[in-house]
Amino acid sequence: MKTIPEYFGSMVFDDRVMKAKLPAKVYASLKHTIDEGAALDPGLANAVAAAMKDWAISKGATHFTHWFQPLTGITAEKHDSFIAPSPDGGVIMEFSGKGLIKGEPDASSFPSGGLRATFEARGYTAWDPTSYAFIKGNTLCIPTAFCSYGGHALDKKTPLLRSMEALNKQALRILRLFGNTTARHVSSSVGPEQEYFLISKEMYDARPDLRFTGRTLFGAKPPKGQEMDDHYFGAIKPKVAAYMAELNEELWKLGIMAKTEHNEVAPAQHELAPIFTTTNIATDHNQLTMEMMQKIASKHGLVCLLHEKPFAGINGSGKHNNWSIETDEGVNLLSPGETPYENAQFLLFLCAVIKAVDDYQDLLRISVATAGNDHRLGANEAPPAVISMFLGDELNAVLEAIENDTPYQGAEKTQMKLGVDVLPKFNRDATDRNRTSPFAYTGNKFEFRMLGSSNSIACANIMLNAAVAESLKIYADRLEGAPDFETALHEMIKKTIKDHKRIIFNGNGYDDAWIKEATEVRGLLNYRTTADCMPHLLDKKNVAMLTAHKVFTVEELRSRRDIMLENYCKTVTIEANTMIDMAATLIAPAVARFSADIARNVAAKKAVDPSIACAYETGLVKKLSDLADVISARTAELQNAVIGLCEAGDIVEESGLIRDKVLPKMCELRLACDEAETKTDKKYWPMPTYADILFSVR
Ligand code: ADP
Ligand code: MG
């Protein structure tokens, strides 16, 4: 049996393979592109394609695909085999540089939000050499960007790469100001912690809501949920352990550094975290991880639920986006250094993030907005929909001292000029953990916790990179022209703290009092739903910033707003229709059947002896009949709300109707059905209950 180091990355055309298989000159040139973002030399495509093909065939691959991330949020691939006819009537295995660099999938079936006229089906995929090609099944997968015939990005990778470039450019300007002449590239890194549920396939198959929408639309509270806190970090059940073992192995073969696994808070909930890597690669890896999680579950008779809120009243699943900025020399710019000079640079980067998060709260909220995640944000578990930052007491005290020109009490009592001479050395774990903050500093990185479990991490990182690039640009513009660097730096750090301290909150983010303070006293934004936040993507300041850094064009932004809102409306409409169907064809009939059977029993008993009271039965029959009437009436109301969507003039209006008319009716219908569930003989209930599902994996 092979050891992990032996098979790790065995399905990846990684640096080791490239070094071994490519001509030295080709390897050096490609490496230059990968490491420093230098333009790709198209002349080397043929050599790379040939080496890739031979390597892939030696691993059993027969096909290749341009693997891309359209705006559906999942990945797409179209397979072509390597075969080409040879003159003797046989075939040869062929893969050209042209086939590596560019593909032309039919773009017409992917969302484009108007970027692609319907008659213009053509789209292009373009090789992203910064993310390694890999083999999945019998197919060589080449990570690619996806754009329209007109050159507009139709995917998530293109703007992500652009945002990384914007951050690189501005961060290097700052580093040069601090006298760093050697760093050549700065990039953001991410380690996403991925939560998920595992349930038995049998239960899943018996629930139309899970099958059609990924979440339960009905379900009374089970007698036992997560209240005992007995699942978090608990012993992993053998069936789950077997699943995790196979998942790890498959991920390791793909070069994905799956590192941590544990049970989460809710029954049947688990988490997987990889070791962090460059944002672009981390994004590809997270997409692959989600795909593998689902694929491998089915081999174990399980279903992996990636929905943000599969069960009401039970913790939902999120994704923690651990984010930092690093130079190619391995320096983490969010790690406080050892010397005052490094501290000053650290403080400036820290301030850049503080300013970015405050100035672009709306973009960060938008980047995680989906119908599914709306159930989580603001519920009593995930961070609220209000964005704030946690820095910890130590760092907070330092910032306060700088703002007020007072000595920092934590260290020697000296007046600070730069405010940085006395910055304490941090232990990674010196700051207490705050689990409720949407955006927490954790010693050398920020943990953005608002992402939903099914979100692509691309969106959050695009906004984060771009917003921080903007802060850095403003700083660099001012500092480059400053007559006295140190004074200007000090003033700027001070000003940032003054202007943006409202975004810093170290208390309990789940507290209602905080939401009140945040919105009423501090003026922070509270966009509760996708319908509330998404239109703000097109606010003037957001368009100005994102286009200035060339992360999006105006047209791309417009299309994304429309696609995201369409996605929201479609998701909820499918849920509403599923509810209508289940209530009308499963739940109401079950309730009626049960109450009719009791009524017959009452009649039978009374026939024996008319004086038998049958109080229990008659009470129940009455209650259930009333409930069935309520269910039927509310089903009709929900139906009307869905029909009413046709009245909407545009997608913004429709999303408002979804929020104000459809979702409330769904809640009302659910309430009645869930109550009926608690009063109906389990033998009559037409689907597995929460207790059945949540404790289905043993
Ligand atoms: P915690 O337990 O505090 O959440 P971990 O060390 O377990 O922290 O890390 C959680 C995730 O953060 C992992 O994916 C890890 O690789 C990632 N991570 C650690 N350091 C960094 C960093 N400098 N930049 C980005 N991600 C990081
Ligand atoms: Mg964490």
Side-chain angles (χ1 to χ4, degrees), residues 4 8 58 69 73 148 158 172 180 190 204 259 351 367 392 416-417 447 454 462 477 559 590 596 610 672:
I4 300 171
F8 184 87
S58 77
Q69 296 165 30
S148 73
T158 307
L172 280 177
N180 180 330
V190 168
Y204 175 87
K259 172 85 176 163
C351 282
S367 75
M416 293 193 271
K417 168 116 194 297
E447 186 168 343
S454 70
I462 291 168
D477 286 349
S559 77

Side-chain angles (χ1 to χ4, degrees), residues 189-193 276 320-324 442 445-448 461:
S189 303
V190 168
E193 301 164 59
F276 70 101
H320 292 175
N321 191 80
N322 294 274
W323 176 92
S324 67
T442 51
K445 63 185 189 285
F446 278 97
E447 186 168 343
F448 184 30
N461 289 297

Side-chain angles (χ1 to χ4, degrees), residues 357-652:
V357 174
D358 189 29
D359 283 342
Y360 298 101
Q361 298 161 46
D362 45 1
L363 289 182
L364 291 176
R365 172 67 183 91
I366 286 166
S367 75
V368 300
T370 59
N373 212 17
D374 283 356
H375 295 290
R376 234 180 113 239
L377 303 176
N380 209 24
E381 46 169 296
V386 176
I387 303 210
S388 66
M389 295 172 86
F390 168 86
L391 296 179
D393 295 339
E394 241 177 347
L395 209 45
N396 222 37
V398 171
L399 296 188
E400 250 166 43
I402 296 172
E403 185 196 354
N404 302 317
D405 284 324
T406 53
Y408 170 58
Q409 298 299 331
E412 290 153 41
K413 294 189 178 175
T414 46
Q415 184 80 21
M416 293 193 271
K417 168 116 194 297
L418 262 178
V420 292
D421 303 8
V422 287
L423 189 62
K425 276 186 200 148
F426 287 92
N427 279 324
R428 237 166 89 40
D429 295 321
T431 52
D432 210 10
R433 272 168 185 273
N434 179 317
R435 292 259 166 228
T436 63
S437 175
F439 205 98
Y441 182 67
T442 51
N444 63 352
K445 63 185 189 285
F446 278 97
E447 186 168 343
F448 184 30
R449 303 198 176 115
M450 285 172 85
L451 287 78
S453 45
S454 70
N455 283 159
S456 157
I457 62 169
C459 306
N461 289 297
I462 291 168
M463 296 309 180
L464 204 46
N465 291 340
V468 173
E470 171 70 5
S471 302
L472 294 174
K473 177 184 182 295
I474 292 170
Y475 292 169
D477 286 349
R478 202 162 311 154
L479 289 175
E480 279 168 358
D484 173 2
F485 177 72
E486 289 208 356
T487 309
L489 177 64
H490 183 66
E491 283 311 309
M492 225 164 47
I493 290 177
K494 216 169 123 170
K495 181 169 159 43
T496 302
I497 299 166
K498 250 194 186 51
D499 291 351
H500 299 287
K501 66 179 176 194
R502 64 172 188 162
I503 198 77
I504 299 167
F505 175 65
N506 292 309
N508 180 1
Y510 296 174
D511 200 344
D512 288 341
W514 159 240
I515 304 300
K516 206 168 140 69
E517 180 191 327
T519 51
E520 290 173 19
V521 182
R522 302 196 187 197
L524 299 178
L525 298 173
N526 184 14
Y527 294 137
R528 306 265 329 263
T529 69
T530 302
D532 294 319
C533 68
M534 202 51 76
H536 294 285
L537 183 59
L538 298 183
D539 284 0
K540 221 167 136 192
K541 75 167 186 34
N542 295 336
V543 174
M545 186 276 280
L546 290 166
T547 54
H549 290 278
K550 301 197 162 43
V551 174
F552 289 109
T553 64
V554 183
E555 294 78 16
E556 286 168 354
L557 284 172
R558 233 179 258 136
S559 77
R560 271 156 181 80
R561 182 205 61 173
D562 287 357
I563 291 169
M564 297 311 286
L565 283 177
E566 266 166 27
N567 188 289
Y568 172 76
C569 293
K570 282 182 191 162
T571 303
V572 179
T573 305
I574 292 169
E575 288 177 351
N577 285 331
T578 304
M579 281 190 99
I580 292 165
D581 189 56
M582 288 173 73
T585 66
L586 291 172
I587 296 174
V591 175
R593 226 170 14 247
F594 176 49
S595 54
D597 281 355
I598 308 176
R600 267 192 290 279
N601 292 348
V602 172
K605 277 184 171 181
K606 295 243 184 216
V608 174
D609 178 355
S611 74
I612 297 177
C614 296
Y616 160 69
E617 290 96 330
T618 44
L620 198 52
V621 170
K622 170 95 179 72
K623 179 76 205 172
L624 286 172
S625 300
D626 289 350
L627 270 174
D629 290 348
V630 173
I631 290 170
S632 151
R634 290 185 182 174
T635 305
E637 285 170 22
L638 178 56
Q639 180 92 65
N640 283 334
V642 172
I643 292 168
L645 294 175
C646 307
E647 313 275 303
D650 61 22
I651 195 69
V652 176

Side-chain angles (χ1 to χ4, degrees), residues 159-188:
L160 180 64
L161 291 171
R162 293 174 183 160
S163 75
M164 290 170 72
E165 185 41 42
L167 185 64
N168 170 48
K169 190 169 152 193
Q170 303 305 333
L172 280 177
R173 285 176 72 192
I174 299 287
L175 290 181
R176 299 288 180 255
L177 282 166
F178 279 90
N180 180 330
T181 53
T182 48
R184 299 160 72 108
H185 195 73
V186 172
S187 64
S188 57

